Amino acid sequence: MIGEISRTELEWFERWVEQDHPVRYAEAARRVVILHPGTRWRARQASPGELPYENGPDDARASDEQRRLLEACLREAVGPYARCSFALYAGFLTESDDGRSDGFDEPSGTWYRGRLNYVLFSGELHESAYAGVDLRWGSGRPFVAGAPIPMVELSYLWSDDHSVLVASPPDTAGTIVLGPDTLLDRLISLPELHAREWRASA
């Protein structure tokens, strides 16, 4: 059941989200980047931590196939009922009424207001990842004539034990995955994902 994020997880998120590279690089021995459509791998990076792609539109999203495959791999890795926290980018929502005028009436959501605004929740993986977010707020919602449809994007998803983190910050054209070797190796093995190991320095 989707509910309020815990204070512990909110504080964990707040500690790193405002960094220039808002993923806890130093805490992961390995990370994988899934390149969204239209992006190309950069063989050499100009600076440590720079995202390793070029010539891609800043707002390119992962394809439906990439999201489906990534979610399936996450379910294999931690199970569909693993407790997770997740952050939706809220830049498209009306801030003054917490998105209610946009059809986003979510009193259990915790708003984080910083350089970018997010709404945070807690839920099981099958509710928190792409399919669950789409079912609750996207195209999976029942159609009601004249009712507004909120625009939200899943930007961050992490398991409560912090063994897995998925990050696709706004205006980036790649999805970063931190997790156990079995998960990362599986992602790299799927050609449809266009996933590459990223050995960036912290």
Side-chain angles (χ1 to χ4, degrees), residues 51 53 57-59 89 116 153 168-173:
L51 292 170
Y53 58 73
D58 286 346
D59 60 352
Y89 173 58
L116 298 173
E153 295 179 357
S168 186
D171 298 326
T172 61

Side-chain angles (χ1 to χ4, degrees), residues 103-202:
F104 189 80
D105 189 9
E106 295 289 345
S108 63
T110 298
W111 277 70
Y112 171 85
R113 293 178 170 88
R115 288 190 297 180
L116 298 173
N117 292 341
Y118 299 94
V119 187
L120 294 95
F121 297 89
S122 175
E124 295 175 344
L125 177 62
H126 67 96
E127 304 168 308
S128 308
Y130 300 105
V133 168
D134 189 55
L135 183 65
R136 189 177 182 99
W137 295 291
S139 62
R141 285 171 47 131
F143 174 75
V144 178
I149 298 176
M151 291 182 62
V152 295
E153 295 179 357
L154 180 63
S155 292
Y156 298 99
L157 169 71
W158 65 94
S159 58
D160 280 5
D161 64 2
H162 299 173
S163 65
V164 170
L165 169 65
V166 177
S168 186
D171 298 326
T172 61
T175 296
I176 306 161
V177 184
L178 287 66
D181 288 344
T182 52
L183 169 61
L184 302 187
D185 290 341
R186 177 63 174 151
L187 297 177
I188 293 170
S189 75
L190 296 172
E192 301 91 341
L193 282 177
H194 302 288
R196 299 280 294 270
E197 186 157 0
W198 178 23
R199 299 184 181 276
S201 301

Side-chain angles (χ1 to χ4, degrees), residues 8-102:
T8 299
E9 295 305 314
L10 176 61
E11 291 175 349
W12 187 78
F13 176 80
E14 290 174 335
R15 284 201 298 270
W16 52 263
V17 71
E18 294 291 347
Q19 296 176 11
D20 289 336
H21 301 290
V23 176
R24 307 190 78 187
Y25 299 127
E27 292 192 2
R30 296 180 65 196
R31 63 197 62 82
V32 160
V33 176
I34 296 170
L35 298 179
H36 298 177
T39 62
R40 185 172 62 191
W41 187 261
R42 191 203 318 266
R44 298 183 62 181
Q45 293 167 236
S47 62
E50 183 180 31
L51 292 170
Y53 58 73
E54 59 186 3
N55 292 346
D58 286 346
D59 60 352
R61 298 184 182 183
S63 69
D64 290 343
E65 179 73 356
Q66 286 176 317
R67 291 195 294 257
R68 185 187 66 79
L69 289 171
L70 173 55
E71 182 163 343
C73 291
L74 293 172
R75 292 187 183 210
E76 290 177 5
V78 299
Y81 302 106
R83 295 298 303 180
C84 297
S85 298
F86 62 104
L88 304 176
Y89 173 58
F92 302 118
L93 299 176
T94 303
E95 183 177 353
S96 61
D97 66 356
D98 290 349
R100 286 187 293 275
S101 59
D102 306 301

